[in-house]
Amino acid sequence: EPEVTQTPSHQVTQMGQEVILRCVPISNHLYFYWYRQILGQKVEFLVSFYNNEISEKSEIFDDQFSVERPDGSNFTLKIRSTKLEDSAMYFCATTPTGGLSSYNEQFFGPGTRLTVL
Amino acid sequence: QKEVEQDPGPLSVPEGAIVSLNCTYSNSAFQYFMWYRQYSRKGPELLMYTYSSGNKEDGRFTAQVDKSSKYISLFIRDSQPSDSATYLCAILSGGFKTIFGAGTRLFVKA
């Protein structure tokens, strides 16, 4: 069964460093998302991405964050200068299509645990 | 007021019990309601989704939406120890953004 994969599974970094989290979406999916989950807290939407553009972003997704699809397969989340409060589990999710005409299941990856020291 | 509210539990039940998990939401415009299951240190996995009001059944699971009271429920019949996980209610806001509840931790004791 196709699945979303994410690398690395665990990333440890020093405060102020840049990190890039990587996701390989399911091959025929067109919409991509990043969510984060701080330990013990709810899963929070960060950003959605379609056709090489951000479709929607939350207030969490500030100038420190960026997303791109550098090639035909990877979807990345970059945090430019990490802060202690960026420590969380980051989940990538993908759907075949988007919009309100019908529900499209979001398939989640296993997550990358980011620890900022 | 939070967009989606969910009691985090934990909820502990004996094997075979009927489990009832609930959420409330604030925006009457929401149309798609989902339940996800999340095992420890894993990504959320969609269990069921419902459009607008009504019930939806899938095996031992039943999802229910009452738009008049802005209340969504998930029932698990004949609960099993393998059902032990965190259950997240979620709502699709617009075309792209999923809003999650805090999640309820469920323990099913053998």
Side-chain angles (χ1 to χ4, degrees), chain A residues 31 33 35 37 41-43 45 48 55-56 89 91 98-103 105-106 108-110 113, chain B residues 2 4 32 34 36 38 41-46 49 88 92-102:
Chain A
Y31 287 79
Y33 312 82
Y35 292 83
Q37 186 175 31
Q41 297 186 26
K42 63 169 63 177
V43 177
F45 171 82
S48 60
S55 311
E56 188 171 358
M89 196 77 163
F91 294 106
L100 285 172
S101 59
S102 62
Y103 178 70
E105 177 180 352
Q106 292 191 7
F108 282 78
R113 179 168 300 281
Chain B
K2 291 182 183 176
V4 181
Y32 286 98
M34 293 82 76
Y36 285 82
Q38 186 178 25
R41 298 179 181 265
K42 300 287 187 184
E45 171 196 14
L46 182 70
Y49 77 90
L88 313 171
L92 188 65
S93 172
F96 307 105
K97 176 181 173 180
T98 298
I99 303 170
F100 286 88

Side-chain angles (χ1 to χ4, degrees), chain B residues 9-86:
Chain B
L11 179 62
S12 183
V13 300
E15 183 175 358
I18 296 174
V19 175
S20 172
L21 303 167
N22 308 291
C23 289
T24 58
Y25 63 95
S26 59
N27 189 336
S28 58
F30 292 144
Q31 295 278 41
Y32 286 98
F33 308 92
M34 293 82 76
W35 283 96
Y36 285 82
R37 178 173 60 196
Q38 186 178 25
Y39 293 110
S40 182
R41 298 179 181 265
K42 300 287 187 184
E45 171 196 14
L46 182 70
L47 278 176
M48 301 179 71
Y49 77 90
T50 311
Y51 175 71
S52 194
S53 279
N55 291 1
K56 189 171 185 179
E57 190 173 317
D58 184 1
R60 297 184 294 111
F61 297 88
T62 299
Q64 197 171 76
V65 176
D66 181 348
K67 291 199 76 181
S68 63
S69 56
K70 300 193 191 75
Y71 198 80
I72 57 178
S73 304
L74 178 71
F75 300 97
I76 307 174
R77 290 182 298 282
D78 186 26
S79 55
Q80 303 295 309
S82 57
D83 294 329
S84 297
T86 297

Side-chain angles (χ1 to χ4, degrees), chain A residues 2-7 22-34 49 68-76 92-96 107-110:
Chain A
E3 59 183 19
V4 178
T5 59
Q6 290 185 243
T7 55
R22 290 183 169 78
C23 168
V24 179
I26 295 173
S27 64
N28 61 343
H29 285 194
L30 301 177
Y31 287 79
F32 314 115
Y33 312 82
W34 284 102
F49 188 86
E68 65 174 354
R69 197 145 190 246
D71 53 41
S73 59
N74 288 292
F75 176 51
T76 62
C92 172
T94 72
T95 61
F107 293 83
F108 282 78

